[in-house]
């Protein structure tokens, strides 16, 4: 039997697909509260903080932190402050309504102006990005500082309750709108302990998507619905936890229909070689997919109608769409050209995101000329 170089190329491409497997969990990058750029300002106290966290995940989803900071001394004090955020674009800071000019800085190990507590010490990376700005505090007065920023998200998809079935995960129409995903947010409060007395009163408002489930490590009560989401609120005396942690779990939105297009080469062991294009309509649920469509050689006379069943082993997973899966196919072929003939197909394929590499074996046990005819196809397919 002749060796086919196409088979080696198929196996090489299949193996390379494993290099892109994603992790099921990615913690959010640090973002957090106001803190002094130097070790402490004993005359500054945060009397009140109003924290608004926008978790809608949209382009214009900005969060805000509003501080009422009192200078308990009798003289004016110019202080350099930091606001921690890895999202360095579109951050704005005002003091009593006057825009300030924050400067981005990078803090390395040993340069943090406060010591992270035991709850957060192992969560900080080797470099922390922040904005630095100067505020002049009048003696004995309260200065209002407003920071507008983006709260970065991580994800935690280890829980498969909202997982996509293997068949649904093979079609990218099911990946939109964060379907089945759990986004993970953290906002650090512990750094505010660098101020005298920490925080007096803390008000937290969280805007979460209406169609998602919100869980948090602090007590938040569901409030009013507004356009695009639901507001959850909580009020606290002092700092209730080292950080506010929230997870937004999106439900699974699954389509039952999809499509696949592909192209490849058909060959036998006697030098026969032709090009083949394929278009399939797919209906799927759980681990099963049924497909019907058309295959043709646009440069010749080959035309057939496949009717196929595919089994995709595996369990539902919220992050299965990031990894590959094996699939096994069997079905019937109705050849219309160059002659009417009925055959059968068995195939094995590997999916990586929307790409499917497949080897098929078609056999016709009742060929009127040869009695038995077998052909192999190497297909590259894209799922929709």
């Amino acid at each position: 039997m002749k060796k086919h170089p196409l088979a080696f190329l198929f196996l090489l491409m299949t193996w390379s697909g494993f290099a892109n497997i994603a992790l099921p969990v990615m913690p959010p990058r640090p973002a957090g509260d106001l803190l002094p750029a130097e070790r402490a300002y004993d005359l500054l106290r945060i009397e009140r903080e109003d924290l608004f966290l926008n978790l809608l995940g949209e382009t214009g989803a900005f969060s805000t932190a509003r501080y009422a900071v009192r200078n308990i001394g009798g003289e004016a004090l110019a202080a350099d402050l930091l606001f921690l955020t890895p999202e360095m674009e579109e951050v704005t800071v005002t003091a009593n309504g006057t825009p300030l000019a924050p400067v981005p800085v990078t803090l390395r190990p040993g340069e943090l102006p406060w010591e992270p507590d035991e709850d957060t010490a192992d969560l900080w990376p080797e470099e922390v990005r922040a904005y630095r700005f100067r505020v002049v505090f009048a003696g004995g007065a309260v200065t209002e500082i407003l920071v507008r920023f983006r709260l970065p998200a991580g994800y935690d998809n280890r829980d498969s309750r909202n997982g996509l079935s293997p068949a649904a995960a093979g079609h990218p129409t099911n990946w939109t709108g964060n379907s089945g995903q759990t986004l993970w947010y953290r906002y650090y409060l512990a750094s505010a302990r660098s101020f005298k007395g920490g925080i007096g009163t803390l008000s937290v408002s969280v805007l979460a998507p209406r169609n998602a489930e919100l869980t948090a490590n602090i007590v938040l009560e569901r409030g009013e619905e507004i356009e695009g989401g639901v507001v959850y609120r909580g009020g606290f005396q002092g700092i209730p936890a080292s950080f506010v942690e929230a997870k937004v779990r999106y439900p699974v939105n699954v389509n039952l229909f999809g499509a696949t297009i592909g192209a490849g080469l058909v060959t036998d062991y006697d030098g026969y070689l032709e090009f083949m294009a394929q278009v399939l309509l797919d209906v799927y649920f759980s681990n099963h997919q049924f497909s019907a469509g058309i295959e043709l050689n646009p440069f010749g006379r080959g035309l057939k109608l496949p009717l196929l069943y595919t089994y995709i082993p595996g369990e539902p997973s919220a992050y299965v769409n990031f990894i590959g899966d094996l699939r096994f196919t069997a079905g019937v072929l109705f050849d219309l050209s160059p002659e009417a003939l009925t055959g059968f197909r068995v195939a094995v394929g590997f999916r990586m995101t929307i790409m499917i590499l497949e080897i098929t074996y078609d056999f016709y046990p009742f060929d009127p000329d040869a009695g038995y005819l077998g052909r192999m196809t190497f297909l590259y397919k894209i799922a929709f």
Side-chain angles (χ1 to χ4, degrees):
M1 185 174 71
K2 295 182 180 180
K3 295 183 179 179
H4 289 276
L6 285 175
F8 174 76
L9 178 61
F10 175 86
L11 293 175
L12 180 62
M13 294 177 67
T14 300
W15 175 257
S16 67
F18 284 102
N20 294 323
I21 293 177
L23 297 173
V25 58
M26 180 66 67
R29 293 170 293 168
D33 237 339
L34 198 67
L35 70 154
E38 299 177 1
R39 283 295 172 182
Y41 291 111
D42 292 337
L43 299 179
L44 296 180
R45 182 176 188 272
I46 301 177
E47 292 192 343
R48 187 185 74 255
E49 177 181 353
D50 297 322
L51 179 62
F52 170 71
L53 301 179
N54 190 330
L55 309 186
L56 294 183
E58 300 172 347
T59 303
F62 284 95
S63 300
T64 59
R66 187 184 303 271
Y67 307 90
V69 182
R70 180 178 294 277
N71 177 4
I72 62 177
E75 298 180 359
L77 173 64
D80 287 338
L81 304 178
L82 293 171
F83 185 83
L84 306 175
T85 171
E87 298 290 343
M88 303 304 288
E89 299 82 19
E90 301 183 77
V91 173
T92 60
V93 182
T94 62
N96 287 336
T98 301
L100 303 180
V103 177
V105 296
T106 299
L107 305 176
R108 293 176 175 82
E111 296 179 344
L112 292 175
W114 97 106
E115 295 296 331
D117 58 20
E118 60 181 11
D119 293 332
T120 61
D122 61 340
L123 301 177
W124 293 93
E126 292 188 358
E127 294 186 346
V128 178
R129 295 192 293 177
Y131 269 99
R132 181 173 183 147
F133 51 93
R134 171 162 290 192
V135 179
V136 177
F137 296 90
V142 172
T143 301
E144 184 176 274
I145 300 173
L146 175 63
V147 182
R148 181 175 178 266
F149 63 99
R150 293 183 187 274
L151 184 64
Y155 57 86
D156 184 358
N157 294 326
R158 291 171 291 185
D159 191 334
S160 63
R161 284 185 298 160
N162 278 355
L164 294 174
S165 69
H171 293 269
T173 54
N174 295 316
W175 306 350
T176 59
N178 294 316
S179 174
Q181 303 297 301
T182 298
L183 298 186
W184 184 5
Y185 300 87
R186 274 204 185 112
Y187 182 88
Y188 289 91
L189 299 170
S191 55
R193 295 193 179 109
S194 298
F195 288 88
K196 186 177 181 66
I199 298 176
T201 301
L202 173 65
S203 170
V204 178
S205 299
V206 176
L207 177 60
R210 184 182 296 108
N211 66 330
E213 174 190 348
L214 175 71
T215 58
N217 67 326
I218 60 174
V219 178
L220 299 173
E221 294 184 0
R222 184 184 177 102
E224 71 276 14
E225 292 192 12
I226 63 175
E227 183 177 357
V230 180
V231 178
Y232 297 81
R233 303 184 188 279
F236 309 91
Q237 292 295 321
I239 299 175
S242 295
F243 51 84
V244 176
E245 182 174 66
K247 292 185 178 181
V248 178
R249 185 192 305 277
Y250 288 85
V252 176
N253 298 312
V254 177
N255 297 306
L256 298 179
F257 303 94
T260 306
I261 62 173
L265 296 176
V266 183
T267 182
D268 60 14
Y269 302 113
D270 295 319
Y272 171 81
L273 186 69
E274 72 172 3
F275 179 81
M276 189 264 284
Q278 179 191 77
V279 178
L280 297 175
L281 296 180
D282 305 318
V283 180
Y284 49 86
F285 66 94
S286 185
N287 300 75
H288 314 283
Q289 177 172 295
F290 299 90
S291 305
I294 186 172
E295 295 178 357
L296 58 86
N297 178 2
F299 309 107
R301 295 188 301 152
L303 176 63
K304 62 184 69 176
L305 304 178
L307 186 61
L308 306 171
Y309 165 75
T310 299
Y311 176 74
I312 308 165
E315 298 294 330
S317 171
Y319 56 97
V320 70
N321 52 324
F322 294 112
I323 67 176
D325 60 48
L326 288 173
R327 45 190 57 212
F328 304 93
T329 300
V332 181
L333 303 174
F334 301 100
D335 283 31
L336 304 181
S337 176
E339 57 183 323
L341 196 62
T342 300
F344 303 92
R345 170 173 295 174
V346 292
V348 61
F350 172 76
R351 177 186 68 85
M352 186 66 196
T353 61
I354 64 172
M355 177 185 69
I356 302 170
L357 301 175
E358 186 176 73
I359 296 178
T360 76
Y361 182 73
D362 300 344
F363 57 96
Y364 298 85
F366 311 114
D367 182 71
D369 298 324
Y372 180 90
L373 178 64
R375 291 174 179 171
M376 183 171 288
T377 304
F378 300 87
L379 277 171
Y380 176 84
K381 304 163 71 171
I382 300 293
F384 297 93

